[in-house]
Amino acid sequence: MTVAASGPLLETEGLTRRFGGLTAVDHVDFQLFPGEIRALIGPNGAGKTTFVGLLSGRIPPSEGRVRFGGEDVTRLPAHARMARGMAYTFQITSVFANLSLFDNVALAVQRRLARGEGLEAETMAALDRVGLAGRARQTAGDLSYGHQRLLEIAMGLAQRPRLLILDEPTQGLSDGEIEGFKALVRDVAAEATVLLIEHNMDVVMSLATRITVLDMGARLAEGDPAAIHADAAVQRAYLGG
């Protein structure tokens, strides 16, 4: 898919967040186009999770703007951005531990459906996409950490988002599950834009169409995987070259 032919799905201008004397995100300009699988990388403390918190509406900015689908959403809370088609899975799992896998995903489906029609079918379809349909009646809190991450992705997919933001999604997954995750993201990208915050560079380099690198809260570099891998500044700051 050629992404440059249309305007950005998500855009920031001068996006900044300060916590007291610390500037966690420093005047970041960012554009994400429909159909992309974009990776956001950087060393620990680079501001990645704060940045996606600003994108999703969980953290208010100190300065700057966020636009989603051409609309200024800077002051909209997370639930309002979700209603517009943005889904965000967390670095730390946020499943309802005492509910079944089915009920966790059904709650996400219900946010989108005006009526309950098709609730069971759509819930099971989302679980099936992440390989958890056979565990639908299991209690979510009994899952391994990696499988809780997959459940959270199913909850995001159940919302049929225009933008799916995945924060450290492969943490806790086995090598085989990571391969399944890659296939899933490629499948999702046919219908939604994906923003991936990920430390596993094999995953990043094999999935991303473009990569944005943050360092000390600012945008250090941006480009395709080959360009990022060869960038001297990125090598010094993050890749260990």
Side-chain angles (χ1 to χ4, degrees):
M1 179 176 183
T2 302
V3 296
S6 59
L9 174 64
L10 180 71
E11 183 175 21
T12 73
E13 294 179 0
L15 196 61
T16 301
R17 175 64 196 198
R18 301 183 187 90
F19 297 99
L22 171 69
T23 301
V25 174
D26 191 3
H27 295 90
V28 173
D29 295 334
F30 176 83
Q31 289 187 327
L32 178 64
F33 289 86
E36 280 195 88
I37 302 174
R38 175 73 67 87
L40 182 68
I41 69 171
N44 290 333
K48 303 183 297 296
T49 295
T50 300
F51 181 65
V52 294
L54 294 168
L55 297 181
S56 63
R58 296 184 59 82
I59 302 172
S62 302
E63 294 179 33
R65 293 181 178 276
V66 180
R67 293 187 181 88
F68 182 60
E71 178 186 3
D72 189 331
V73 298
T74 308
R75 301 302 168 192
L76 291 183
H79 67 84
R81 300 187 200 195
M82 185 183 298
R84 285 159 173 77
M86 188 184 297
Y88 175 29
T89 70
F90 300 95
Q91 187 176 23
I92 301 172
T93 56
S94 58
V95 302
F96 298 99
N98 293 327
L99 298 181
S100 68
L101 278 64
F102 181 93
D103 288 342
N104 268 273
V105 177
L107 287 171
V109 173
Q110 283 179 328
R111 293 173 184 160
R112 178 172 52 80
L113 296 180
R115 303 174 184 174
E117 297 173 2
L119 176 65
E120 181 169 359
E122 293 205 22
T123 298
M124 291 304 298
L127 285 168
D128 186 57
R129 289 187 78 178
V130 301
L132 294 177
R135 303 186 181 204
R137 300 303 170 184
Q138 186 174 342
T139 301
D142 293 338
L143 293 176
S144 68
Y145 179 80
H147 285 158
Q148 287 188 30
R149 302 312 312 274
L150 292 175
L151 174 59
E152 197 179 38
I153 293 170
M155 292 163 68
L157 293 174
Q159 299 170 46
R160 293 190 183 175
R162 300 163 68 191
L163 170 63
L164 180 62
I165 303 174
L166 302 172
D167 196 350
E168 301 290 351
T170 66
Q171 189 173 352
L173 298 185
S174 68
D175 289 346
E177 288 166 339
I178 287 174
E179 289 305 310
F181 168 78
K182 290 179 185 178
L184 173 64
V185 170
R186 294 185 183 107
D187 180 55
V188 170
E191 60 197 57
T193 303
V194 178
L195 177 60
L196 179 70
I197 300 88
E198 181 58 65
H199 281 296
N200 185 323
M201 291 307 297
D202 288 338
V203 171
V204 168
M205 292 297 178
S206 64
L207 280 180
T209 50
R210 287 179 67 79
I211 300 170
T212 300
V213 186
L214 292 185
D215 186 35
M216 299 180 67
R219 195 178 73 173
L220 176 65
E222 190 169 273
D224 63 29
I228 293 300
H229 190 268
D231 190 291
V234 175
Q235 290 282 351
R236 288 192 298 271
Y238 185 53
L239 297 179

